[in-house]
Amino acid sequence: MHCKMCNIWANPTDGREEIKPDDLKCLPQLKFINLTGGEPFVRTDIDEIVRVCYTKAPRIVISTSGWFHERVIDLARQFPDIGIRISIEGLAAKNDELRGREGGFERGLKTLKTLQDMGVKDIGFGCTVGAGNSPDMLELYRLASDMGLEFATAALHNSFYFHKHDNAIMNPGQVTADFERLVNLQLAERSPKSWFRAYFNMGLINYVNGGERLLPCEAGSANFFIDPWGEVYPCNGMEEDKWKESMGNIHECSDFMTLWNSEQANSVRQKVCHCPKNCWMVGTVSPVMHKYIWKPAAWVLCNKMRSLVGKDAKLISKPSK
C-alpha cells in the first residue's frame, strides 16, 4: 500500500537486517502480542514468527491490509486462533484513495469474509480516522456490526516509526461529531466490550481536541515496542523532534529481562512520565484502561444509563496544560 497517513512504504527496510523468528525467543511471557508493519505479510517467514510468538503469549493479532489474501488464509489455517485486523480506512473509493492501491477495499473485505467462513473468530476492521474519512468510519462500523466483526479505531498520529511529521486533522469539528455518533451507537449495543470501546473513542475525541490523556501513559512499563532491528522502545508513537530513546537492543543483552531492568530502560521510563505528546493509541491505552478500570467503568456505567433513557453520552474533556 501507499498510504497517505503513513510513509513506511516509502522507507523500506532490508529483510536481511531485520529481526528473525529466533530473535524473539528471548521474550518473556506476555499477555498479548501485536505484529504490525508496514505489511507483516511481506515477510515470507511470518508463520515462523507467529509460531515463536505463541510460545510467549496466548493471543497474537496481526494488523494487515489483507492484500496478500492467500498468505493470510494460509496462516489462519495453520493458526486458527490467530487474530486478524484488516486495516480499511473507508468504503471502496475512500479506502483506495487513502491507501493508494485500487482494489484494496475489495481484497480486504474478501479476506475478512473468507476468514469468517473458515470459522476464525478474532477478526475485524481497523480504521484510522482523520483524513476526510470520518463519515465512512460510521459506514464501516455498521458493516462490521452487520457482519458480526470487531471494529477498532485510531486517529491520525505522527511518529518516527510512521516516518510522518505532518499528519493533521483538518476538519476536527466533523471528526469529533462523527466520533460522538459512534460513541452513542456503541453505548446502545448490548455488549459491555462495546461500551468500553465507546470510552476509548471518547478519549479519541479528547485527543483530536488537543486535550491531555484521560489516563496516564505507562509505555515502557505496561507495554513495549520492538522495531525491525531489535531496538526496544516504550512505544512506536515517539517523534524525533520531541524525543526518541531506546531502552536497549535485544541483540545486545543476554536475556530480555536484563534489558528490561537495566539503567537505560529505567531512564527511558522516567522520560515517559514527562512525554510531551498526548497520544491516545490502543497499544498504550488498553493496558491502563485495565489497570485503572474504575475510571472507564464509572464513565461506562453513567453513560450506559443515559443511553437507556435516550440521552447522548457525556464527554470528558481534559484541557492541555
Side-chain angles (χ1 to χ4, degrees):
M1 299 299 171
H2 289 179
C3 300
K4 300 287 179 64
M5 60 284 187
C6 170
N7 283 336
I8 291 179
W9 61 271
N11 295 269
T13 57
D14 184 339
R16 294 169 297 183
E17 300 173 353
E18 293 181 3
I19 51 178
K20 304 297 188 288
D22 281 353
D23 295 329
L24 301 178
K25 291 180 178 178
C26 73
L27 294 178
Q29 293 302 305
L30 304 166
K31 292 181 179 179
F32 165 77
I33 295 175
N34 174 242
L35 299 172
T36 185
E39 174 52 65
F41 283 91
V42 300
R43 288 285 298 245
T44 57
D45 58 353
I46 187 69
D47 57 337
E48 292 302 317
I49 292 172
V50 170
R51 186 168 285 108
V52 172
C53 287
Y54 264 125
T55 68
K56 303 298 180 178
R59 183 169 179 245
I60 314 297
V61 174
I62 304 181
S63 303
T64 173
S65 67
W67 184 266
F68 293 108
H69 174 81
E70 293 301 332
R71 296 183 194 180
V72 177
I73 300 309
D74 180 63
L75 188 77
R77 289 194 182 103
Q78 295 182 62
F79 305 98
D81 292 331
I82 194 75
I84 300 289
R85 294 295 179 274
I86 304 292
S87 298
I88 295 181
E89 315 309 343
L91 300 181
K94 179 59 68 174
N95 176 78
D96 294 359
E97 170 199 339
L98 294 178
R99 292 206 147 247
R101 195 88 184 256
E102 187 176 349
F105 175 83
E106 290 183 4
R107 195 172 295 202
L109 190 59
K110 174 186 175 183
T111 301
L112 277 174
K113 287 180 176 177
T114 305
L115 290 168
Q116 192 172 44
D117 290 343
M118 292 168 58
V120 180
K121 302 297 184 185
D122 192 359
I123 55 176
F125 295 99
C127 181
T128 300
V129 181
N133 64 334
S134 59
D136 278 41
M137 169 191 69
L138 294 171
E139 295 302 318
L140 281 179
Y141 164 75
R142 294 184 181 99
L143 178 60
S145 295
D146 290 344
M147 295 177 65
L149 301 176
E150 302 286 335
F151 185 71
T153 50
L156 286 181
H157 285 75
N158 292 306
S159 88
F160 80 95
Y161 187 66
F162 305 149
H163 300 276
K164 261 293 192 176
H165 61 274
D166 58 352
N167 274 330
I169 296 176
M170 307 306 295
N171 57 338
Q174 179 175 7
V175 170
T176 55
D178 287 333
F179 267 122
E180 285 182 37
R181 294 184 184 96
L182 178 61
V183 164
N184 287 303
L185 287 169
Q186 290 176 319
L187 284 169
E189 292 186 35
R190 295 183 178 182
S191 167
K193 182 187 286 188
S194 295
W195 309 340
F196 282 89
R197 283 183 177 147
Y199 175 87
F200 175 81
N201 286 316
M202 185 269 300
L204 284 176
I205 295 172
N206 177 65
Y207 164 76
V208 171
N209 286 330
E212 265 196 89
R213 279 179 63 112
L214 302 180
L215 296 170
C217 181
E218 296 187 357
S221 298
N223 57 275
F224 60 90
F225 170 75
I226 303 180
D227 82 358
W229 302 279
E231 293 292 338
V232 180
Y233 294 99
C235 69
N236 65 345
M238 290 180 287
E239 294 182 60
E240 290 170 304
D241 63 339
K242 293 183 171 63
W243 79 290
K244 174 194 171 190
E245 193 167 339
S246 170
M247 301 171 77
N249 192 297
I250 60 174
H251 295 128
E252 297 170 359
C253 59
S254 57
D255 63 85
F256 187 85
M257 295 312 295
T258 299
L259 180 158
W260 191 246
N261 295 316
S262 67
E263 289 186 14
Q264 173 65 15
N266 288 327
S267 172
V268 171
R269 288 187 189 100
Q270 291 302 311
K271 293 179 181 178
V272 169
C273 297
H274 306 287
C275 179
K277 297 191 68 175
N278 285 314
C279 299
W280 191 256
M281 302 171 74
V282 70
T284 56
V285 173
S286 179
V288 291
M289 279 183 65
H290 285 86
K291 181 174 180 178
Y292 304 102
I293 187 64
W294 61 90
K295 292 186 177 181
W299 183 90
V300 165
L301 180 61
C302 171
N303 288 284
K304 180 59 183 177
M305 296 300 292
R306 291 178 62 85
S307 178
L308 288 172
V309 296
K311 293 183 179 181
D312 287 344
K314 281 188 174 181
L315 304 179
I316 301 175
S317 180
K318 194 171 183 181
S320 182
K321 291 180 181 177

